[in-house]
Amino acid sequence: VYLRKVETRGFKSLGAKLLSTPVEKGFVAITGPNGSGKSNLVDAILFALGENSAKTLRVPNLSALIYDGSVEEQKPSSAKVSLQFDNSDRRIPIDSDSVTLSRELKQNGESIYSLNGKHTQRNTLSDLLENALIASRGLNVVLQGMITRIADLVPDEKRKLIEQMV
Amino acid sequence: VYLRKVETRGFKSLGAKLLSTPVEKGFVAITGPNGSGKSNLVDAILFALGENSAKTLRVPNLSALIYDGSVEEQKPSSAKVSLQFDNSDRRIPIDSDSVTLSRELKQNGESIYSLNGKHTQRNTLSDLLENALIASRGLNVVLQGMITRIADLVPDEKRKLIEQMV
Amino acid sequence: KHRVFMDAFERIDRELRVIFNKITEGSGWLEIENQDAIFDSGIFLMTQFPGKLPRDSSSVSGGEKTICALSFILAIQAVFPSPFYVFDEVDAHLDSKYSGKLADILAERSDRSQIIIVSLKDNVIAKASNVIGVYMSQGSSRILRYRSAMEIEIPNEQPQQ
Amino acid sequence: KHRVFMDAFERIDRELRVIFNKITEGSGWLEIENQDAIFDSGIFLMTQFPGKLPRDSSSVSGGEKTICALSFILAIQAVFPSPFYVFDEVDAHLDSKYSGKLADILAERSDRSQIIIVSLKDNVIAKASNVIGVYMSQGSSRILRYRSAMEIEIPNEQPQQ
Ligand SMILES: Nc1ncnc2c1ncn2[C@@H]1O[C@H](COP(=O)(O)OP(=O)(O)OP(=O)(O)O)[C@@H](O)[C@H]1O
Ligand SMILES: Nc1ncnc2c1ncn2[C@@H]1O[C@H](COP(=O)(O)OP(=O)(O)OP(=O)(O)O)[C@@H](O)[C@H]1O
Ligand SMILES: [Mg+2]
Ligand SMILES: [Mg+2]
């Protein structure tokens, strides 16, 4: 399994229009000036995987995820992110070479999840991701600034980190 | 007033022998590999200005400031730092072109302060520094990692920071 | 519970030793504070950087602390693998030697799992097989794709508005 | 007390606007949460980066937050001056454009007060009038001095022990 594409529409600075970011297998680097939208791309991935904490997504509340960067254009009514995975190794227990997860957040804070185009419950998705070891249970996504917090963990917290993984 | 030289002996990684670091007026950059001793040089300046918090100096307790980096050599019995200032503008209220502050910490945790070679009390020194606006009352020395903490200050803390300065 | 924990601990410790040595040419290892009361005590990460005496990771330099944290995370990830990883500017406090070594380790791991790193450092980006450039234009983010790191010419600011 | 505070606040706000604009070409300013109860409320740092809408400094990017913090500190330092300043790797999260601008501002200020910066970035070190190189040898730190940034050739690791 690997991530092949991130598609966003109306998500943070990534714009009101559909933005498609193809991703390759192997070692991928994202670069660009300060404030260009690199960490927002990471937030988009977490959001589609089911992240519900506004603090982790660095916004005051979830509806602030909707793009509000332009004066002229009407603010979009929702923020949507789709992740397309290559599933030829069938690590996601679904019989198809390509799996697309998507999540759309409406202005009222309600989220609609879908899997390969069909509506599904949030729990179904998180079970599926857990099976494929994709869920961001903490250490497969290291957010900006987190590395200094991990460096300053006291001995008890280091033990708890390992306990959490088992 | 400006700093002309930092002399250390037995202070953190700066070695058991006398190490003299001349500093120029104007814009000075300190660079070097990770773990080479750059922040320890900053700690040496704070230490000589009277900093007494082991946490700020990044050690478990003050006697851990004494150099312990070598197996062969005997651990020195004290850590000493001297700061030589150019005082031709007389901002430090002492009638001499050059002012040297020094502080020596013994293994028992006791500190001996001196000013131009003569023993003096810690309070006398801090009053003198306060007059010359040198004391590190918080914002003339920005330690490593502090900038992200300042960036994350909440509104109340920003107000308190200004209140503290007045 | 005790056995499961100890099994994970030992595997993480073994991985950490390999990774720490690869990055620093020194040694790093984990120690349990109190073997008799594991769940009431902590875990120490001990280090011995080249040419230095052994020291607890809490009193090393800023960059050295980042190396300790990265070694710990990469060791845990090796023991509990995931198909893809994301690292957002974890190299900010590393000098060119250590950030280069980190990029080498991540490039090596990327055979097994997809690794996505956000970085501002040229020597790190140069080691990626695929680079995504992000820039701002007229109030929203745009994406540029490069086959290899050599083609990078990211427009700092497109003509605004 | 109220008047003394407001006087300091206004001077800091004025300085912040100048500094923030010099670094970003956008605008930054301070706002008091509640004019009627100043000592029970907070202060907001507001930003408008080029090409973007106004936004509170708490929801900008990592590098943009560093710019806000630096503008705030430099503004306070301008209002309460000191003969010398030390900055330890404050440029870690800045890209080359912003770190270059920061170095320009510090170089300018160094006419009035001595400024000592610890940095790993070549474009920042290049702007200093005097460079001190630090390296480890046989378990202790050594110092090299350079007249100008161009002469830098710091031995990464002298032959150990
Ligand atoms: N009492 C001591 N005696 C000898 N060495 C010490 C002592 N205390 C700390 N050290 C060592 O000093 C070294 C340098 O630390 P310092 O924080 O100054 O590095 P730095 O140059 O700022 O590195 P970085 O770029 O990673 O921030 C560390 O490796 C640390 O283990
Ligand atoms: N809902 C939103 N609509 C539009 N823009 C937004 C929204 N939320 C945040 N932003 C903006 O997105 C911009 C980019 O943020 P991001 O954190 O992704 O930058 P970055 O590329 O990671 O930068 P850095 O290198 O400084 O970490 C910020 O300037 C922020 O103000
Ligand atoms: Mg970022
Ligand atoms: Mg340092």
Side-chain angles (χ1 to χ4, degrees):
Chain A
V1 173
Y2 69 93
L3 187 61
R4 287 181 34 166
K5 195 192 305 180
V6 181
E7 272 186 4
T8 63
R9 206 187 56 233
F11 186 84
K12 292 185 97 175
S13 68
L14 302 171
K17 301 194 199 72
L18 185 75
L19 181 75
S20 173
T21 309
V23 186
E24 308 266 320
K25 219 176 159 170
F27 188 26
V28 179
I30 300 175
T31 194
N34 287 138
S36 55
K38 302 181 297 293
S39 296
N40 287 345
L41 212 51
V42 173
D43 293 341
I45 294 171
L46 281 184
F47 169 79
L49 293 178
E51 179 61 59
N52 254 348
S53 147
K55 191 167 167 348
T56 304
L57 297 172
R58 304 179 302 139
V59 284
N61 51 54
L62 286 189
S63 55
L65 289 171
I66 300 174
Y67 174 70
D68 66 5
S70 159
V71 229
E72 291 107 41
E73 285 164 63
Q74 173 81 3
K75 186 171 161 169
S77 60
S78 73
K80 187 174 176 186
V81 178
S82 302
L83 301 181
Q84 195 188 70
F85 288 99
D86 177 299
N87 191 36
S88 29
D89 64 1
R90 296 295 187 270
R91 280 190 69 174
I92 301 177
I94 290 188
D95 188 20
S96 112
D97 276 355
S98 158
V99 170
T100 302
L101 313 171
S102 59
R103 177 181 178 184
E104 181 167 15
L105 180 92
K106 302 265 186 221
Q107 246 162 358
N108 64 1
E110 204 195 306
S111 280
I112 302 164
Y113 293 85
S114 62
L115 181 66
N116 280 349
K118 286 199 290 300
H119 280 316
T120 149
Q121 290 308 313
R122 180 186 153 75
N123 301 345
T124 326
L125 260 183
S126 48
D127 289 347
L128 216 65
L129 294 173
E130 200 67 40
N131 271 335
L133 298 172
I134 287 178
S136 63
R137 54 160 175 227
L139 280 184
N140 61 331
V141 178
V142 180
L143 299 174
Q144 190 168 355
M146 216 163 108
I147 201 73
T148 24
R149 282 199 295 283
I150 290 171
D152 289 329
L153 289 180
V154 295
D156 273 6
E157 291 167 332
K158 287 195 178 97
R159 186 206 71 232
K160 286 197 188 107
L161 200 59
I162 295 179
E163 261 187 281
Q164 203 184 306
M165 301 302 291
V166 278
Chain B
V1 169
Y2 67 93
L3 188 59
R4 286 168 52 133
K5 194 194 301 180
V6 180
E7 272 186 5
T8 62
R9 206 185 57 230
F11 185 85
K12 293 186 97 177
S13 67
L14 303 170
K17 301 195 198 73
L18 185 76
L19 180 75
S20 174
T21 309
V23 186
E24 310 264 321
K25 221 177 161 173
F27 189 25
V28 179
I30 300 176
T31 194
N34 287 138
S36 54
K38 303 180 297 291
S39 296
N40 287 344
L41 211 52
V42 173
D43 292 341
I45 294 171
L46 281 184
F47 169 79
L49 294 179
E51 179 60 60
N52 254 348
S53 145
K55 187 162 183 298
T56 304
L57 296 171
R58 304 177 301 139
V59 282
N61 51 53
L62 286 189
S63 54
L65 289 170
I66 300 174
Y67 174 71
D68 66 5
S70 160
V71 238
E72 290 106 40
E73 283 163 67
Q74 173 81 0
K75 184 170 163 170
S77 61
S78 73
K80 188 175 175 185
V81 178
S82 301
L83 302 180
Q84 195 189 73
F85 289 99
D86 176 300
N87 191 36
S88 30
D89 64 3
R90 296 294 188 270
R91 280 189 69 172
I92 301 178
I94 290 189
D95 188 18
S96 109
D97 276 355
S98 159
V99 169
T100 301
L101 313 171
S102 58
R103 176 181 179 184
E104 182 167 13
L105 180 94
K106 302 264 185 223
Q107 249 163 354
N108 63 1
E110 203 195 309
S111 280
I112 302 164
Y113 293 85
S114 61
L115 182 66
N116 282 349
K118 286 199 291 297
H119 280 318
T120 150
Q121 290 308 314
R122 178 186 155 73
N123 300 346
T124 324
L125 261 186
S126 48
D127 289 348
L128 216 65
L129 294 173
E130 199 68 39
N131 272 334
L133 298 174
I134 287 177
S136 62
R137 61 187 162 187
L139 280 184
N140 61 334
V141 177
V142 180
L143 298 174
Q144 190 168 357
M146 214 163 110
I147 201 74
T148 25
R149 282 199 294 284
I150 290 171
D152 290 329
L153 289 180
V154 294
D156 273 2
E157 289 166 335
K158 287 194 178 101
R159 186 205 72 233
K160 286 198 189 105
L161 201 59
I162 295 180
E163 259 185 279
Q164 203 184 306
M165 302 302 290
V166 278
Chain C
K1 172 170 177 169
H2 185 282
R3 217 186 43 256
V4 171
F5 179 87
M6 283 310 294
D7 173 52
F9 174 84
E10 266 143 23
R11 285 162 58 205
I12 291 170
D13 178 51
R14 251 200 316 280
E15 284 288 341
L16 180 96
R17 288 167 192 258
V18 172
I19 294 162
F20 192 93
N21 178 255
K22 262 196 187 142
I23 298 179
T24 68
E25 294 162 30
S27 15
W29 65 97
L30 296 177
E31 281 179 11
I32 290 183
E33 189 176 8
N34 180 354
Q35 289 279 3
D36 301 328
I38 291 176
F39 298 106
D40 293 321
S41 67
I43 288 177
F44 293 107
L45 199 162
M46 302 302 294
T47 70
Q48 187 166 7
F49 284 86
K52 295 182 180 173
L53 295 181
R55 206 176 282 280
D56 184 279
S57 64
S58 61
S59 54
V60 297
S61 83
E64 291 172 334
K65 270 190 179 175
T66 295
I67 295 292
C68 293
L70 283 166
S71 302
F72 190 46
I73 291 177
L74 290 171
I76 291 176
Q77 288 178 349
V79 172
F80 300 95
S82 177
F84 79 97
Y85 297 105
V86 181
F87 297 94
D88 194 344
E89 296 196 31
V90 294
D91 56 359
H93 282 282
L94 299 184
D95 61 22
S96 53
K97 183 177 155 209
Y98 279 156
S99 53
K101 293 255 179 166
L102 171 68
D104 291 337
I105 293 230
L106 295 180
E108 211 181 283
R109 289 225 160 171
S110 68
D111 296 347
R112 277 169 289 156
S113 311
Q114 181 182 37
I115 292 185
I116 300 170
I117 188 167
V118 177
S119 175
L120 303 177
K121 292 181 194 264
D122 295 343
N123 67 324
V124 170
I125 296 162
K127 303 212 163 138
S129 51
N130 174 236
V131 178
I132 296 171
V134 186
Y135 66 92
M136 263 292 170
S137 168
Q138 298 172 337
S140 74
S141 301
R142 305 289 160 91
I143 299 287
L144 290 172
R145 281 185 68 211
Y146 304 92
R147 264 294 137 235
S148 80
M150 294 320 138
E151 296 165 35
I152 289 192
E153 184 47 46
I154 299 182
N156 220 335
E157 232 117 2
Q158 297 282 297
Q160 296 295 354
Q161 304 302 354
Chain D
K1 172 168 177 174
H2 185 283
R3 216 185 40 257
V4 172
F5 178 87
M6 282 312 294
D7 174 52
F9 172 82
E10 266 141 25
R11 285 160 59 205
I12 292 171
D13 177 50
R14 251 200 315 281
E15 284 288 340
L16 180 96
R17 288 167 192 259
V18 172
I19 293 162
F20 191 94
N21 178 256
K22 262 195 186 145
I23 298 178
T24 68
E25 295 163 31
S27 21
W29 66 97
L30 296 177
E31 280 180 13
I32 290 183
E33 189 174 13
N34 180 354
Q35 289 280 3
D36 301 326
I38 290 175
F39 297 107
D40 293 321
S41 66
I43 288 177
F44 293 108
L45 199 162
M46 302 303 294
T47 70
Q48 185 166 8
F49 285 86
K52 296 182 181 175
L53 295 181
R55 205 176 281 279
D56 184 276
S57 64
S58 61
S59 53
V60 297
S61 82
E64 291 173 336
K65 270 190 178 176
T66 294
I67 295 292
C68 293
L70 282 167
S71 303
F72 190 46
I73 291 177
L74 290 171
I76 291 176
Q77 288 178 348
V79 172
F80 299 96
S82 177
F84 79 97
Y85 298 104
V86 181
F87 297 95
D88 193 344
E89 296 196 32
V90 295
D91 55 358
H93 283 281
L94 299 183
D95 60 23
S96 54
K97 184 178 152 205
Y98 279 156
S99 53
K101 293 258 175 148
L102 172 67
D104 290 339
I105 291 221
L106 295 180
E108 211 181 284
R109 289 222 159 173
S110 67
D111 295 349
R112 275 171 286 155
S113 311
Q114 180 182 37
I115 292 186
I116 300 171
I117 187 166
V118 177
S119 175
L120 302 178
K121 292 181 193 267
D122 295 342
N123 68 323
V124 170
I125 297 161
K127 303 207 164 145
S129 50
N130 173 235
V131 178
I132 296 171
V134 186
Y135 65 94
M136 264 290 172
S137 170
Q138 298 171 332
S140 74
S141 301
R142 305 288 159 91
I143 299 288
L144 290 172
R145 280 186 68 212
Y146 304 93
R147 264 294 136 234
S148 80
M150 295 318 136
E151 297 163 33
I152 290 192
E153 184 45 48
I154 298 182
N156 219 335
E157 232 119 339
Q158 296 282 299
Q160 294 295 353
Q161 305 305 356

